[in-house]
Amino acid sequence: MLMQKCKDCTTKCGAASSLSPEQMEVMENNSVEVHFRKGDNIFRQGALSLNIAFLKSGIAKIHMHGPAREKILRIVRAPSYLGLPTSLGDKINQFSASALADTSVCFIDISLFRMLIYNNGKFAYEIIVELCQNELNDYQRYTSQSQKQMTGMIAETLLCMSEKIFKDSKFIFPLTQSELGDMVGTSRESVSRVLSEFSSDKIIEISGKEINIINRDLLKQISEKG
DNA sequence: GCATTAACCACAG
DNA sequence: CTGTGGTTAATGC
């Protein structure tokens, strides 16, 4: 498999930079880079997990089949690991990851990854920090979701996309309205109504999939007041 | 009661 | 896939 060498890779995560040259070489010999198209499944809930997936470029969604419908757990921007909890916490994937745009993903052999954690404290520490940050974000979002009403949730999600994922007021929204509904726990009709309401109130501008946040302060208020 | 919120259904671009 | 209208149920003055 033709691939770029890990040590020359410019999209290393924080943790990988604490690997020794020898460890880096082992990593190179035990990982492959795979490209995905928009919409492709990267790994699937219910399937056996033998690799750690690292999102090298692009953007992906983490999602789970719930008892009633699909639930989008998180949107992930490269560079980031995609499924550490499901890869290390269980042999079977507890959730799926799918590409929201063209992406490239490095799959790292799980036993090698485990070895790196055992043998390199700094590497392990960086991984733990990433897991902790994700957990804090998740707690934050689940608390919001159980207490905010849907306009607040949608405002929060738009702000999060703008600030954390795209780092711009103007961005191409990567989900369909139905998927946004799956993300905040509401129906696609409600999403459609809230978005057109925000648009007619001049809080955002929508043209196709492009969203431009015009009145960020008001959007923040809506997000905070629920 | 009356208002608000949001889900579900249907139908049309 | 999206936008909208009608209907219905739950909840809160």
Side-chain angles (χ1 to χ4, degrees):
Chain A
M1 177 80 60
L2 180 69
M3 62 170 292
Q4 189 184 3
K5 293 214 177 284
C6 292
K7 68 171 158 43
D8 302 326
C9 181
T10 51
T11 57
K12 278 195 264 295
C13 65
S17 57
S18 42
L19 295 178
S20 69
E22 301 78 52
Q23 288 171 331
M24 190 64 80
E25 196 177 327
V26 181
M27 173 95 98
E28 273 168 22
N29 295 330
N30 288 277
S31 61
V32 281
E33 182 176 341
V34 181
H35 296 275
F36 292 93
R37 298 300 207 131
K38 181 184 167 85
D40 287 348
N41 196 253
I42 297 171
F43 57 80
R44 192 180 298 277
Q45 180 174 354
L48 185 65
S49 161
L50 297 170
N51 296 288
I52 298 285
F54 178 74
L55 184 64
K56 186 179 167 189
S57 69
I59 179 168
K61 65 173 177 179
I62 303 292
H63 53 115
M64 188 177 224
H65 297 297
R69 71 187 79 257
E70 192 75 1
K71 168 77 184 170
I72 295 185
L73 299 167
R74 221 142 66 75
I75 303 298
V76 184
R77 183 191 96 254
S80 170
Y81 289 100
L82 279 180
L84 290 180
T86 206
S87 303
L88 295 174
D90 200 330
K91 288 184 177 173
I92 304 294
N93 289 324
Q94 298 294 301
F95 51 79
S96 303
S98 305
L100 291 175
D102 292 355
T103 61
S104 77
V105 176
C106 293
F107 289 97
I108 305 159
D109 180 81
I110 194 158
S111 49
L112 162 72
F113 195 83
R114 214 175 269 129
M115 197 63 75
L116 293 176
I117 289 175
Y118 290 157
N119 295 339
N120 185 330
K122 184 148 188 302
F123 179 79
Y125 172 78
E126 298 289 345
I127 295 293
I128 290 172
V129 168
E130 176 165 346
L131 290 172
C132 289
Q133 286 168 348
N134 289 342
E135 189 164 325
L136 290 175
N137 278 333
D138 289 344
Y139 288 165
Q140 158 72 49
R141 273 181 313 108
Y142 291 139
T143 309
S144 285
Q145 205 179 121
S146 60
Q147 293 175 17
K148 285 182 182 180
Q149 33 183 70
M150 108 214 155
T151 52
M153 273 317 293
I154 292 176
E156 179 179 312
T157 307
L158 291 178
L159 286 169
C160 173
M161 290 275 185
S162 162
E163 288 164 9
K164 305 222 174 111
I165 306 282
F166 296 101
K167 302 181 194 306
D168 195 348
S169 293
K170 203 177 187 184
F171 53 92
I172 306 291
F173 196 74
L175 302 174
T176 66
Q177 294 192 4
S178 170
E179 285 175 315
L180 179 52
D182 289 340
M183 188 166 171
V184 303
T186 190
S187 64
R188 64 154 256 281
E189 292 98 323
S190 295
V191 171
S192 168
R193 285 184 175 109
V194 172
L195 288 181
S196 40
E197 187 189 322
F198 284 173
S199 172
S200 59
D201 291 348
K202 306 279 177 245
I203 298 170
I204 60 174
E205 253 170 20
I206 306 176
S207 55
K209 301 252 77 177
E210 185 179 276
I211 289 190
N212 189 7
I213 297 178
I214 311 166
N215 193 340
R216 182 172 297 268
D217 290 342
L218 189 48
L219 198 57
K220 271 191 179 136
Q221 277 180 39
I222 294 169
S223 167
E224 281 157 19
K225 299 219 170 110

